[in-house]
Every structure is written in structure tokens, then in C-alpha cells.
Amino acid sequence: MNNYTGMNRNANNSGKNDDSRKLTGFSAEVYEWLEAIAFALGIVVLLFTFVFRIVSVSGSSMNDTLKDKDRVLVWSMFYSPEPNDIIIILPQSEINDDSSESIFLNKPLVKRIIATEGQYVEIRDGNVYVADSEEALASAEPFDSASAVARDSETYGGSFIPNNTPMQVPEHCVFALGDNRGDSTDSRDARVGFINYDNILGEVIFRIYPFDDGIGTVD
């Protein structure tokens, strides 16, 4: 009788040990999954902090390349500005909050680079000209924008760069315009002017929203 009772106890203990081992195995698997998810989330956070950003387009200055409320993916790490790149320009935080300029410059701008440091820019006869020297502007062809809308529209000077006034882009700066030239506040305007590299968040590389209006790369 005692032997039977002892065997029964041993069997019960063995069953409890098996259950304990199963629980331990399940817990370990859950922990591994949680660890993998946490690692993946950490990678995503790092990517969207140092490599990519998501920005919402505001306004019509880049029609039809980009439209109001489009959401775009921006490449920011190790970015080096080049002509025809579409860039995100960070707002000028030093502008007085009470000014009308603050309303405009308190949000990121989306524009296309026309000229980079050292190049010369001139607006004349409704076209934009870019050359490596002021003398070469006279024989230069109109800037070949990647945007058909920009190529077909007339461009006029503004408060910063008037018509028929050649200007050289300073070091560490770019000259940028909206593709919708008739409805764009850009480097022609004294409130924007030449854009310092430090104020460039990065290059727009992909449209991610809206889904029904052509998700894909942006030229």
C-alpha cells in the first residue's frame, strides 16, 4: 500500500515538473518574441530619427509634382544637395511670432533645387538661367527642370532676386523654386532667399500618401 502511495506521489510530482517545464518553455518563447519586437521597434525609431522623415506637403507651390496634403518620405542622412532635387526646408525659428512672415515660415517648405553653391542664377524673359560664371549666363539655356509644369510656366523675379539681376549662390547654400512658379514663395522672395544647407532636412524620395494618387518615387 505504501509503495503504491509513493508511486502515486512520484507520478503527481513528475506531472507537475512537466507542466513547469512546459510553462517555462512557453514563457521563454514569449520573451524571445517580445525581445525581437522591441529590437525591431528600436531599429525603426533610429531609422526615422536619423535616416528618414515623413513630412506632409502644405500648399500648391509644387503642383503637379506634389499636391497639398501629400505625405512624403524624406532622406536626411548624409544628404548632399544637387540640382533638380526636391527638398524639405526647415522653418526659420528666429522669425518673430507676431509677424506675417512667421505664419509662412513656421512650417517646412517643399521646393526644387535650381542652383547650388558657387553657381550663378538669373531670371529674365520668363525663364531661369543657371551657369558656373556670370559671363556664361548670357549664352546659357533655360534651366531644364525635371518638372514639365515648371518648364512650361513663366518665371518672374521677386523681392530677393529681381528680373535681369544675376546673383551668385553663396557657399553652403542653394537656390530653390516651387514647380508651380506662379503660386510659390521661394528663393525669389526675401523671406526665403538662399537656403543654407543647415536648413535642409533632406531630399524627398517617395510619396507614401494618398494611396489613390500614385504612391511611388518623386522626380
Side-chain angles (χ1 to χ4, degrees), residues 73-76 79 85-88 200-205 218:
L73 191 65
V74 179
W75 173 273
S76 55
Y79 171 63
D85 287 352
I86 298 174
I87 57 172
I88 300 296
I200 299 175
L201 177 63
E203 179 187 7
V204 175
I205 58 173
V218 180

Side-chain angles (χ1 to χ4, degrees), residues 16-77:
K16 289 179 181 179
N17 289 336
D18 288 343
D19 289 343
S20 177
R21 281 195 293 271
K22 287 179 182 177
L23 183 61
T24 302
F26 176 74
S27 299
E29 187 173 343
V30 170
Y31 177 79
E32 288 177 2
W33 273 104
L34 291 174
E35 192 177 45
I37 291 170
F39 178 77
L41 287 174
I43 294 296
V44 170
V45 169
L46 287 174
L47 284 174
F48 280 89
T49 299
F50 299 106
V51 182
F52 300 108
R53 299 289 181 90
I54 295 176
V55 175
S56 179
V57 176
S58 178
S60 60
S61 70
M62 285 298 292
N63 283 0
D64 288 326
T65 307
L66 293 170
K67 298 178 181 178
D68 186 41
K69 294 183 173 58
D70 280 1
R71 283 180 172 79
V72 294
L73 191 65
V74 179
W75 173 273
S76 55
M77 192 173 189

